Structures are given as structure tokens and as C-alpha cells.
């Protein structure tokens, strides 16, 4: 495997800006559990090994149950997620796979109904942020530790 760029070393200001977005999101409305779930699920969909490992480790440290982490890839069939979490995971999938699915009116309206406009906006930004990190991790072949 060829050695790839370490963008954080080449342009630390860029990394800081992305990190600042995450810091802002974490300090706004979403819960730690919501952020953990959407980060893991988006990372699974994108196939970012580095981010999957990083965010599952974080989720465990935050008290997330192993069975829920394992079930994320099949959340639609799993009994372990609440209606709000299902709405969050549907939104995460549709934003992440935007070219394939778009964000359906049903998913969007359900998010607004359950979370309100402000939290829905914050969740969308969190999904966009993890997708940016996934693309960095995959493109530069960041290695899980």
C-alpha cells in the first residue's frame, strides 16, 4: 500500500476548522448517544475502518451497550433502538447516501416532528461532518490503531 498524505500535518488549520465544527455540534443540542450512533452508522455506510474503530471505542467509553453497537448495521430489524433513534439513523443513512436515496419527505418530516427544527439542523450538520471525516480517512487510508 502506498503511503498517503497526512492532511492534519500538511494543513493543521483545516483539521482545526473541522474539529471546531465538531466541538460546536457537541456543545449544542445532540446528545452524546445520538452523535455516537450517527458517527458509527455513517462510518459503516462509507466503509471507513479508522472511523468505525474510533467511534465504537468512544461509544463504549460513553456507556453504549455492545449489543446496540453490533446491531447498528441492521437497525431497521433490531429491537434495541427507540423511535427517535430510528429517525436519526434513517436521516443519517439518507444524508450519507444522498445520491442514491436523497432525503425523503417522510424521513425529513419525521425528524422535524421528533427533534424540532433546530436539533434537526444540528443533526444534519453532524452527519455532514462525519461524512467529511470519513472521506478524509478513506482517501488518505488512515489506519485504525
Amino acid at each position: 500500500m502506498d503511503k498517503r498524505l497526512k492532511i492534519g500535518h500538511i494543513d493543521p488549520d483545516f483539521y482545526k476548522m473541522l474539529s471546531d465544527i465538531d466541538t460546536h455540534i457537541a456543545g449544542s443540542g445532540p446528545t452524546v448517544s445520538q452523535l455516537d450512533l450517527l458517527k458509527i452508522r455513517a462510518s459503516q455506510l462509507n466503509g471507513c475502518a479508522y472511523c468505525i474503530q474510533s467511534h465504537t471505542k468512544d461509544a463504549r467509553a460513553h456507556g453504549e451497550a455492545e449489543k446496540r453497537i453490533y446491531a447498528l448495521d441492521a437497525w431497521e430489524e433490531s429491537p434495541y433502538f427507540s423511535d427517535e433513534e430510528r429517525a436519526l439513523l434513517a436521516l443519517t443513512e439518507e444524508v450519507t447516501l444522498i445520491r442514491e436515496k436523497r432525503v425523503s419527505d417522510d424521513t425529513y418530516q419525521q425528524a422535524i416532528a421528533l427533534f424540532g427544527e433546530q436539533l434537526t439542523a444540528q443533526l444534519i450538520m453532524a452527519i455532514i461532518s462525519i461524512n467529511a471525516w470519513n472521506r478524509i480517512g478513506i482517501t488518505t487510508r488512515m489506519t485504525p490503531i
Side-chain angles (χ1 to χ4, degrees):
M1 185 179 325
D2 294 334
K3 186 175 178 178
R4 301 273 176 122
L5 298 174
K6 292 190 178 198
I7 294 174
H9 294 175
I10 294 170
D11 192 344
D13 290 340
F14 174 76
Y15 252 50
K16 183 176 180 334
M17 286 187 294
L18 268 179
S19 294
D20 287 348
I21 290 169
D22 289 342
T23 300
H24 177 77
I25 291 166
S28 60
T31 67
V32 171
S33 179
Q34 288 171 332
L35 293 174
D36 286 339
L37 291 175
L38 74 83
K39 287 176 183 178
I40 295 167
R41 187 64 190 128
S43 299
Q44 288 173 332
L45 292 166
N46 287 320
C48 183
Y50 179 87
C51 292
I52 292 168
Q53 183 164 337
S54 175
H55 297 302
T56 55
K57 181 180 176 183
D58 291 344
R60 285 182 188 94
H62 298 143
E64 187 58 71
E66 292 288 323
K67 67 183 180 181
R68 285 168 43 92
I69 293 171
Y70 301 146
L72 266 175
D73 195 40
W75 65 268
E76 291 174 293
E77 291 81 31
S78 172
Y80 304 136
F81 302 99
S82 68
D83 290 343
E84 290 82 9
E85 290 167 333
R86 290 176 185 286
L88 171 64
L89 293 168
L91 185 64
T92 299
E93 288 193 5
E94 291 182 21
V95 171
T96 299
L97 302 172
I98 197 128
R99 178 69 178 117
E100 294 175 27
K101 293 184 173 186
R102 304 289 182 190
V103 176
S104 72
D105 290 340
D106 287 345
T107 297
Y108 182 82
Q109 292 304 324
Q110 185 177 27
I112 295 294
L114 290 170
F115 304 122
E117 290 183 356
Q118 183 162 347
L119 182 54
T120 299
Q122 293 163 341
L123 292 169
I124 290 168
M125 291 307 298
I127 297 163
I128 291 167
S129 177
I130 189 56
N131 274 279
W133 286 114
N134 289 166
R135 281 150 178 76
I136 291 168
I138 293 165
T139 303
T140 63
R141 293 190 181 146
M142 292 174 68
T143 305
I145 51 173

